Amino acid sequence: MTISQRDTMGGLAKGLAVIETFTADLPRQSIAGVAAASGLDRATARRCLLTLVQLGYADYDGKFFTLTPRVLRLGTACLAAMPLPQVVQPWLDRLSDELGESTSVSILDGDEIVYVARAAQRKVMSISLMPGSRLPAYCTSMGRVLLAALPEDEARRRLAARPLPARTPLTATGIAEVMARVALAREQGYAAIDQEVEMGLRSLAVPLLNARGITVAAVNLGLPALAEGVDGLVTRYLPALRRLQAEIRKVLR
C-alpha cells in the first residue's frame, strides 16, 4: 500500500521520534539532547516534550525530561495484540524453571531487538530487561540469529544505519566482523555471545520458526560467564533450546 505525504500526520511522527530517543541508557534527557537524537530542531523538540508532559507521558524537573509509566500503555497495547508473547510464555517459564536460568524471546525492529516475553530466574545484566526492552542487534545473540534470517545485503544495511560502539572490550564493532559472526549463526543455526553486551554475561540463542520455516523471533538463554567457556555453554544448553524451538514451530502459524 502506498501512502501519500498528505495522508500522514507530521506532528504524530515527530512525537513518536521524541519518545524513541528515551532508552535504558538515556532515561533523562534535556531538550538539546532530544533534538540531537531525534533530528528535530530545538523548538519542535521542546513542543513535543511539553505536549508529552501535558498528557502525562513525561515529567519535567525544569532541566531534564523523563518518561512516565503512562507511556507503557502504548507498548502494552501493542504486545497484548500480538499472539507471539502469549504463545511462547508458557514454554519460556517451563524452560527457565528446568534450567534455572533466565530466558527471553525477542523480535527484530530495524537494527535493534525488542523483548516480547521473558522468564527471569535471576538478574544477569546491570539493566532490568522486560517486555518492551531494547538492545542492539549487532552484539546480542538473539540479534545475530535474527539478522542471519535476513538477506545478506539487508542485514548489512541495517548494521550500517548507525555506529556500532564497543559496549565491552570483547564487542565486535566492525561491520565485516559482525557480518562474519552473523554468517556463522546462519550456518550453525544458533549464536553464542561471550561478554559482548556486558562483561560477565554470556548468552545463547536460536531462531524461532513458524510452521513454514520462516524466522519470526529468537529465543535465548542468558547466564553469568563461568569457567566452562562458550563451548561448554553450547554443549550444556543448546539441546534444550533446540527442543523448545521444535515444539514452538508446531504451533506458530
Side-chain angles (χ1 to χ4, degrees), residues 90 143 219 225:
V219 58

Side-chain angles (χ1 to χ4, degrees), residues 61-103:
D61 63 7
K63 183 176 181 180
F64 293 105
F65 292 84
T66 56
L67 296 182
T68 68
R70 185 183 181 93
V71 80
L72 293 175
R73 295 183 183 183
L74 305 176
T76 301
C78 174
L79 291 172
M82 296 171 61
L84 180 63
Q86 301 168 18
V87 170
V88 301
Q89 191 65 55
W91 271 283
L92 278 190
D93 292 338
R94 188 184 68 187
L95 182 65
S96 187
D97 289 341
E98 174 190 337
L99 301 179
E101 304 291 353
S102 298
T103 56

Side-chain angles (χ1 to χ4, degrees), residues 188 190-192 203-204 228-240:
Q188 295 179 330
Y190 69 85
S203 65
L204 178 66
E228 64 179 344
V230 173
D231 290 341
L233 171 71
V234 173
T235 300
R236 180 184 297 192
Y237 295 111
L238 184 59

Side-chain angles (χ1 to χ4, degrees), residues 208-216 248-253:
L208 288 181
L209 314 175
N210 64 16
R212 295 177 291 165
I214 298 172
T215 297
V216 296
I248 290 181
R249 181 171 180 174
K250 296 174 185 177
V251 299
L252 286 181
R253 302 299 177 188

